């Protein structure tokens, strides 16, 4: 590789989950620290970071086509320096280096604090790969928070020890680690000082977080939420994603007691059939999951529920799929994500017998999504007439229109005299499946 001028501008493109969004922001902060500024929209960037996701098929293919588009002048006029980060980098780093000579560096999700040094290497004509997984090392090395929006993310836990048989995350993100309590309290404070009104605590298994508070007491995520809620300038707290196995009584009680903890719970079930759940290595049954939800709803009756589903896991029969429709009918999710099973290299399910044909998966997904759409519409319809606080996040497409989130994480649009970051009192007046229309009653300066 040839020597090149140091990059002056960057663009970070994040795919996949919110943890990648968070990592993308932290990388951007690091680049800013190095004196590299964010390229404006439509402007060529000297450095492009592709922050990739490996959760479903075609992820790697997408990376190669993005690289091709960048080098062939289709995305921008001048080919940039390219860094591949994220979970595809972790899983297929060496292959990327071999197949894509245009890539200057490959950096895994636990190693991106070393990105600045890798950029120096690239400037000197040296390509580098770093997919080390030093537990908890990167956070201490990252600069202070500055890329902040009213609704900000805070990664509190990383990695996964659950090993669901279909999933790559334990391999791409490594073992479960919890970030220390003091570091989180400190980062939350910085986020709030920089303008965050809502913080979403993130982790692949966020409620598996454990730590020690100031007094040295062992606490779980509920304790962390209670501590963060004490900051008067922080108005809302959320968390995602949880595994049913990690939900304890204290967390359930917290939903009833801490008003800042928003009435929304994303708790993936994946399937409604116990044989399939067992084959997936999920530790819950349909019944234990429903019982758990009952306890949450008892603590917070207006809780909006969200979930993830996989259709067509190897060996899933028609009757077993029907159980997934049944659990959906029972729970009535406010919102959900659903996917066709995608075999991931290196995971146990990829080599199981009885892979389900694509047509069957397509048909099941359509039926499942019809039910989920029905329930989302019904949930939104039932919100019409309610008055709630909406956190204003950005301008809408129409003149004078604003977009924000209700406590139940619905997108709400309305017009009126507000600013980004305000908490507006809004009456919900009209419901679509994906969003609601509201009428501004008053603005509470948050
Ligand atoms: N840690 C979270 C979510 C991780 S990935 C949890 O355990 O719930 C997000 C979602 O992607 C999963 O909940 C699952 O529904 C889906 N997913 C993961 N691996 C998949 C695969 N191989 N094929 C299809 N969907 C998958
Ligand atoms: Fe993947 Fe299961 Fe871990 Fe979630 S709990 S990240 S689905 S292995
Ligand atoms: Fe994707 Fe990695 Fe997140 S595989 S879903 S970016 S943890």
């Amino acid at each position: 590789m040839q020597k090149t001028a140091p990059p002056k501008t960057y663009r970070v493109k994040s795919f996949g989950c919110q943890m990648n969004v968070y990592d993308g922001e932290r990388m951007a902060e690091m680049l800013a620290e190095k004196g590299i500024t964010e390229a404006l929209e439509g402007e060529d960037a000297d450095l492009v970071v592709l922050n990739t996701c490996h959760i479903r098929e075609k992820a790697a293919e997408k990376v190669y086509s993005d690289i091709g588009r960048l080098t062939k002048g289709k995305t921008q006029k001048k080919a940039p320096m390219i860094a591949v980060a994220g979970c595809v980098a972790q899983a297929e780093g060496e292959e990327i280096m071999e197949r894509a000579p245009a890539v200057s560096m490959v950096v895994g999700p636990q190693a991106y604090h070393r990105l600045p040094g890798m950029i120096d290497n690239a400037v000197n004509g040296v390509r580098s790969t770093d997919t080390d997984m030093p537990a908890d090392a990167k956070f201490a090395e990252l600069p202070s928070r500055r890329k902040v929006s009213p609704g900000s993310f805070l990664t509190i836990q990383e990695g996964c020890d659950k090993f669901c048989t279909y999933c790559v995350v334990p391999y791409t993100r490594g073992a479960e680690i919890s970030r220390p309590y003091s570091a989180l309290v400190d980062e939350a404070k910085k986020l709030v000082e920089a303008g965050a009104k809502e913080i979403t605590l993130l982790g692949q298994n966020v409620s598996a977080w454990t730590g020690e508070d100031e007094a040295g007491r062992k606490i779980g995520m509920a304790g962390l939420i209670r501590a963060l809620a004490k900051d008067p300038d922080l108005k809302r707290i959320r968390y995602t994603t949880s595994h049913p196995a990690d939900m304890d009584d204290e967390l359930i009680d917290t939903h009833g007691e801490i008003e800042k903890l928003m009435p929304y719970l994303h708790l993936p079930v994946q399937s409604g059939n116990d044989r399939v759940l067992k084959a997936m290595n999920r530790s819950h049954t349909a019944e234990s999951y429903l019982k758990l939800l009952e306890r949450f709803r008892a603590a917070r009756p207006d809780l909006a529920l969200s979930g993830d589903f996989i259709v067509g896991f190897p060996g899933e029969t028609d009757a077993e799929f029907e159980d997934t429709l049944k659990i959906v009918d029972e729970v009535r999710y406010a919102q959900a994500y659903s996917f066709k099973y995608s075999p991931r290299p290196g995971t146990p399910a990829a080599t199981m017998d009885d892979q389900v044909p694509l047509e069957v998966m397509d048909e099941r997904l359509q039926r499942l999504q019809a039910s989920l759409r029905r329930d989302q519409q019904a949930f939104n319809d039932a919100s019409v007439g309610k008055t709630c606080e909406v956190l204003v996040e950005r301008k809408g497409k129409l003149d004078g229109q604003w977009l924000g989130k209700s406590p139940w994480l619905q997108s709400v649009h309305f017009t009126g005299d507000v600013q980004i970051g305000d908490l507006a009192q809004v009456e919900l007046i009209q419901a679509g499946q994906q969003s609601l229309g509201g009428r501004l009653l008053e603005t509470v300066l948050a």
Side-chain angles (χ1 to χ4, degrees):
M1 210 174 73
Q2 283 183 340
K3 288 192 181 186
T4 171
K8 292 199 188 70
T9 57
Y10 73 84
R11 178 169 292 120
V12 178
K13 277 181 74 180
S14 289
F15 305 89
C17 64
Q18 287 147 325
M19 303 195 62
N20 252 18
V21 174
Y22 175 87
D23 290 341
E25 288 173 359
R26 306 294 322 247
M27 283 190 258
E29 286 161 350
M30 243 176 358
L31 298 173
E33 183 100 327
K34 206 173 158 55
I36 311 177
T37 54
E38 187 169 9
L40 303 173
E41 217 169 294
E43 190 185 62
D44 275 12
D46 300 331
L47 165 70
V48 172
V49 180
L50 298 173
N51 191 20
T52 60
C53 170
H54 201 237
I55 201 83
R56 278 170 291 276
E57 219 166 10
K58 304 212 172 83
E61 291 321 305
K62 200 172 159 356
V63 178
Y64 290 113
S65 76
D66 276 354
I67 295 167
R69 287 160 50 82
L70 281 167
T71 50
K72 288 189 189 111
K74 291 193 175 144
T75 319
Q76 54 179 54
K77 282 182 236 89
K78 198 172 127 275
M81 179 186 282
I82 300 174
V84 179
C87 291
V88 180
Q90 188 66 40
E92 302 188 14
E94 275 172 34
E95 206 184 320
I96 295 171
M97 279 308 224
E98 272 171 37
R99 250 181 82 177
V103 171
S104 298
M105 64 210 98
V106 161
V107 62
Q110 310 302 359
Y112 65 75
H113 54 295
R114 293 198 281 251
L115 193 57
M118 299 171 86
I119 295 171
D120 294 339
N121 288 347
V123 168
N124 289 319
V126 179
R127 305 172 82 204
S128 33
T129 304
D130 194 338
T131 48
D132 277 2
M133 285 201 180
D136 199 27
K138 76 177 176 222
F139 294 106
E141 314 245 344
L142 298 172
S144 215
R145 300 306 322 262
R146 55 175 118 186
K147 271 205 80 157
V148 162
S149 38
S152 280
F153 294 141
L154 172 53
T155 293
I156 66 165
Q157 178 278 340
E158 281 211 281
C160 181
D161 297 340
K162 302 281 191 294
F163 289 93
C164 302
T165 53
Y166 49 81
C167 184
V168 289
V169 171
Y171 312 97
T172 60
R173 292 273 173 169
E176 277 178 17
I177 62 128
S178 293
R179 292 183 63 194
Y181 171 82
S182 57
L184 297 173
V185 171
D186 186 52
E187 190 171 327
K189 192 161 158 269
K190 297 229 167 70
L191 285 170
V192 172
E193 281 166 4
K197 299 288 166 21
E198 171 183 291
I199 291 182
T200 302
L201 307 177
L202 296 182
Q204 270 90 15
N205 279 295
V206 72
S207 27
W209 182 87
T210 55
E212 275 180 16
D213 68 8
E214 296 92 344
R217 278 180 303 243
K218 198 169 179 310
I219 55 167
M221 192 183 63
L224 178 64
I225 290 171
R226 286 169 193 267
L228 297 181
K230 290 194 185 124
D231 182 342
D233 295 323
L234 176 63
K235 306 295 177 185
R236 291 175 158 192
I237 301 172
R238 302 180 184 275
Y239 62 89
T240 199
T241 297
S242 305
H243 188 291
D246 299 318
M247 311 304 266
D248 60 19
D249 288 341
E250 200 192 343
L251 181 59
I252 296 172
D253 293 345
T254 306
H255 273 272
E257 289 163 18
I258 302 287
E259 229 174 286
K260 289 181 183 180
L261 182 58
M262 290 291 105
Y264 179 91
L265 176 66
H266 181 68
L267 194 63
V269 69
Q270 313 297 358
S271 162
N273 177 268
D274 290 348
R275 191 204 63 81
V276 174
L277 287 169
K278 195 150 191 271
M280 286 176 162
N281 195 30
R282 300 287 292 184
S283 52
H284 54 90
T285 61
E287 197 193 332
S288 69
Y289 176 83
L290 289 170
K291 285 232 167 86
L292 183 59
L293 289 189
E294 245 171 57
R295 287 159 60 208
F296 271 98
R297 278 178 160 157
R300 184 78 206 226
D302 69 335
L303 194 69
L305 289 164
S306 164
D308 290 349
F309 298 89
I310 296 176
V311 301
F313 183 81
E316 185 188 66
T317 64
D318 284 337
E320 288 169 344
F321 167 67
E322 295 290 333
D323 286 344
T324 298
L325 294 179
K326 268 191 220 142
I327 206 165
V328 167
D329 285 351
E330 199 138 339
V331 174
R332 300 281 165 170
Y333 290 92
Q335 197 280 129
Y337 303 93
S338 49
F339 313 100
K340 284 182 271 192
Y341 167 70
S342 169
R344 310 310 295 129
T347 60
T351 49
M352 284 180 185
D353 294 336
D354 297 328
Q355 299 282 323
V356 175
L358 194 59
E359 319 79 81
V360 177
M361 286 204 267
D362 278 332
E363 200 254 340
R364 286 181 191 167
L365 188 66
Q366 275 180 30
R367 288 181 61 200
L368 173 60
Q369 290 186 338
S371 293
L372 294 171
R373 277 198 300 271
R374 172 202 68 195
D375 294 345
Q376 187 172 21
Q377 182 72 56
F379 184 85
N380 289 347
D381 286 343
S383 305
V384 171
K386 283 187 188 163
T387 293
C388 66
E389 270 182 356
V390 172
L391 177 61
V392 183
E393 291 180 338
R394 58 195 160 94
K395 282 191 167 162
K397 280 192 196 126
L398 305 178
D399 215 24
Q401 192 186 47
W402 297 93
L403 296 178
K405 292 276 165 31
S406 77
W408 307 279
L409 208 66
Q410 296 149 303
S411 284
V412 180
H413 52 86
F414 63 94
T415 55
D417 186 16
V418 296
Q419 289 182 31
I420 290 175
D422 284 346
L423 276 168
Q425 283 288 330
V426 172
E427 186 194 1
L428 302 173
I429 53 174
Q430 171 240 323
Q433 187 222 318
Q434 302 276 8
S435 65
L436 291 121
R439 188 166 64 87
L440 178 65
L441 299 180
E442 62 176 307
T443 308
V444 183
L445 291 178

